[in-house]
Amino acid sequence: MCGSGGGSSNNDQAMKDAEKRHQENLALQKEQMEEQKRQFELSRKDNQTRYVEQKKKAEAAPPPAPEKTAGVAAPTYQFKRKGSGREAFRTGNNNKPASNTPTQSSAHSAKSLYIPN
């Protein structure tokens, strides 16, 4: 039976502290919700403005037709290719060595292998 009433003051203080924290948390939560609402309203306003602009562009009259004297657009450079693959990039007979003319690589090899008597 001894000490049955001694803990009530500590318990009351803990309850008051918990209620104070709870109220602070509620105030913080309310502030955060107000900020979210403010940001939502800003983004909604921006979206509505963008929607109106896009709708105006979509419903606008098409651009005028080109002048009849304009003709048809032609490519600026008329590239004519003589073949496909490797043949397209060859310059013709200039790249084919004559059978009796040594190539540069074989001439170089011959020079490097020359041994004087």
Side-chain angles (χ1 to χ4, degrees):
M1 298 277 211
C2 183
S4 64
S8 65
S9 65
N10 287 341
N11 194 15
D12 290 341
Q13 185 64 33
M15 292 290 283
K16 287 179 185 177
D17 290 344
E19 183 64 27
K20 184 179 177 183
R21 285 193 305 273
H22 179 67
Q23 292 301 325
E24 289 173 357
N25 288 339
L26 286 177
L28 178 63
Q29 193 175 25
K30 184 178 179 183
E31 182 182 340
Q32 289 173 342
M33 289 174 63
E34 289 172 357
E35 179 63 20
Q36 284 179 340
K37 184 177 180 182
R38 185 187 72 80
Q39 290 177 356
F40 170 76
E41 293 297 330
L42 282 174
S43 66
R44 185 169 184 240
K45 183 179 175 184
D46 289 344
N47 288 342
Q48 287 176 339
T49 304
R50 194 175 309 116
Y51 172 77
V52 169
E53 290 173 1
Q54 289 176 351
K55 191 169 184 178
K56 283 181 185 177
K57 289 178 184 179
E59 294 175 350
E67 295 290 327
K68 299 231 185 255
T69 58
V72 178
T76 57
Y77 178 68
Q78 306 244 337
F79 181 69
K80 294 181 182 173
R81 202 171 194 183
K82 63 181 180 177
S84 63
R86 185 170 178 229
E87 292 81 26
F89 301 101
R90 306 233 0 167
T91 56
N93 290 335
N94 295 342
N95 285 343
K96 296 179 184 176
S99 60
N100 60 355
T101 307
T103 62
Q104 182 181 4
S105 61
S106 64
H108 176 73
S109 298
K111 287 180 185 176
S112 63
L113 292 177
Y114 174 73
I115 302 172
N117 288 340

